[in-house]
Amino acid sequence: MCIRDRTFNMFLRLGYIFLRRKSWPDAKAVFLRACELFRQSSYAWLGIGISCTRMGDYKEAEEALTEANIFDPLNADTWGYLALMCLHDNGRVIQANQALREMFNAGVEQIELLEEIADELARLGKSEMAETCYRKLIEMFNGGRVRNSLTERGSVHLKLAKILHAEGRLAEATEEYQEAHRFAVSESERDKIKTILETLSSA
């Protein structure tokens, strides 16, 4: 491996370390250096796109994520961050939905990213799309595809239950509340969900 390749790989590793530390400006700067060495790196462009999305620079984020897509159109994370960026950028739901479909087609890998997209959709009142994402998350849990994740299964069931409850789909909501109760990580959370279930059963 030549010096240029070693330097490029070092920049990539360092950039993703900065991303994990949420040092967005530092991450962006390092990924830009990586792009100077190898402009066709989808991972470097993705890193720039993630950094810019987190910093709220959506125009530059979209440009970087588009470049990442050109060099690797099958990267689910790129599509996911495109969806998230569109939602943050004045709620561009149509474009976000298109990116989300491509994310599913490419194969979702980052469960935390999908949960973040689902939460943002729910916040924007896009219940149908949010429900699709939460059900996909549950499917991933059921398929054993979730390891070492910060996402809690109980919280996903609870979020889905609240959407169904708000829509008056009480039987489905009850099932999800029951699953949320089953996977709750604290006694206080279980008590809250138990109270909701008792209210539903007496309605």
Side-chain angles (χ1 to χ4, degrees), residues 15-29 31 45-65 76-89 103 110-120 123 150-151:
Y16 281 99
I17 288 172
F18 281 135
L19 286 183
R20 286 194 293 273
R21 293 179 178 175
K22 299 183 180 181
S23 301
W24 316 127
D26 292 330
K28 178 185 175 182
F31 284 124
W45 284 112
L46 174 58
I48 296 170
I50 294 172
S51 304
C52 291
T53 297
R54 297 307 185 189
M55 291 190 294
D57 187 350
Y58 301 125
K59 183 177 185 297
E60 191 171 351
E62 187 166 10
E63 292 173 354
L65 292 169
D77 290 349
T78 301
W79 288 112
Y81 276 103
L82 270 169
L84 185 63
M85 181 275 302
C86 287
L87 293 174
H88 284 315
D89 186 20
M103 183 189 190
Q110 278 203 53
I111 189 168
E112 291 92 351
L113 175 57
L114 181 56
E115 184 181 26
E116 188 175 358
I117 293 169
D119 291 347
E120 185 63 16
R123 188 187 70 81
L150 296 176
T151 296

Side-chain angles (χ1 to χ4, degrees), residues 1 20 27 41 43 46 59 63 66 71 84-86 112 121 123 127 146 153 157 159 162 170 174:
M1 184 181 293
R20 286 194 293 273
S41 169
Y43 291 109
L46 174 58
K59 183 177 185 297
E63 292 173 354
T66 299
F71 298 121
L84 185 63
M85 181 275 302
C86 287
E112 291 92 351
L121 286 165
R123 188 187 70 81
S127 300
V146 180
R153 178 166 184 166
H157 283 289
K159 291 171 183 176
K162 289 179 178 178
L170 301 186
T174 298

Side-chain angles (χ1 to χ4, degrees), residues 106-168:
V108 181
E109 296 179 0
Q110 278 203 53
I111 189 168
E112 291 92 351
L113 175 57
L114 181 56
E115 184 181 26
E116 188 175 358
I117 293 169
D119 291 347
E120 185 63 16
L121 286 165
R123 188 187 70 81
L124 292 171
K126 303 302 176 182
S127 300
E128 184 177 349
M129 293 173 64
E131 178 184 345
T132 298
C133 292
Y134 288 133
R135 291 195 183 281
K136 181 66 175 179
L137 286 165
I138 292 169
E139 177 187 315
M140 293 173 71
F141 276 110
N142 290 339
R145 294 169 56 193
V146 180
R147 295 181 178 85
N148 301 321
S149 171
L150 296 176
T151 296
E152 297 173 355
R153 178 166 184 166
S155 70
V156 175
H157 283 289
L158 183 58
K159 291 171 183 176
L160 177 55
K162 289 179 178 178
I163 287 177
L164 299 171
H165 196 168
E167 293 182 346

Side-chain angles (χ1 to χ4, degrees), residues 176-191:
E176 295 303 326
Y177 279 127
Q178 289 170 342
E179 289 297 291
H181 184 270
R182 175 186 172 196
F183 291 104
V185 296
S186 69
E187 193 64 36
S188 62
E189 190 67 32
R190 279 190 288 272
D191 289 342

